[in-house]
Amino acid sequence: MPGDGLVKAGVVVFAVGAVATLVTVAPLLLGTEPFPTVAYLVSMLMGVGFALAGAGVLRSVAAQRRQARRTA
């Protein structure tokens, strides 16, 4: 279906961002020196992955609506 690739890519990007978030928060909780700003920017991939997956879902919904209109 259209949009499935976007959803899969969004899940992967979201997972990378989630792991980066856990890695960047751990030093703050453990009392060690925090990571550089670049590590926090990688954490922003969670939002990018969420947006990609959402776009994939919307694309899939649009394709299903088009298909339903053709058959009806």
Side-chain angles (χ1 to χ4, degrees):
M1 290 290 300
D4 286 349
L6 281 174
V7 173
K8 289 177 184 177
V11 168
V12 170
V13 172
F14 183 88
V16 169
V19 169
T21 300
L22 291 173
V23 167
T24 55
V25 171
L28 300 174
L29 298 174
L30 298 173
T32 60
E33 190 171 326
F35 286 107
T37 305
V38 176
Y40 292 97
L41 293 176
V42 174
S43 298
M44 301 290 180
L45 288 177
M46 280 179 64
V48 173
F50 188 77
L52 276 173
V57 168
L58 291 177
R59 186 172 179 197
S60 178
V61 167
Q64 288 177 4
R65 282 187 177 183
R66 282 191 301 268
Q67 184 179 11
R69 285 184 188 151
R70 275 186 250 141
T71 59

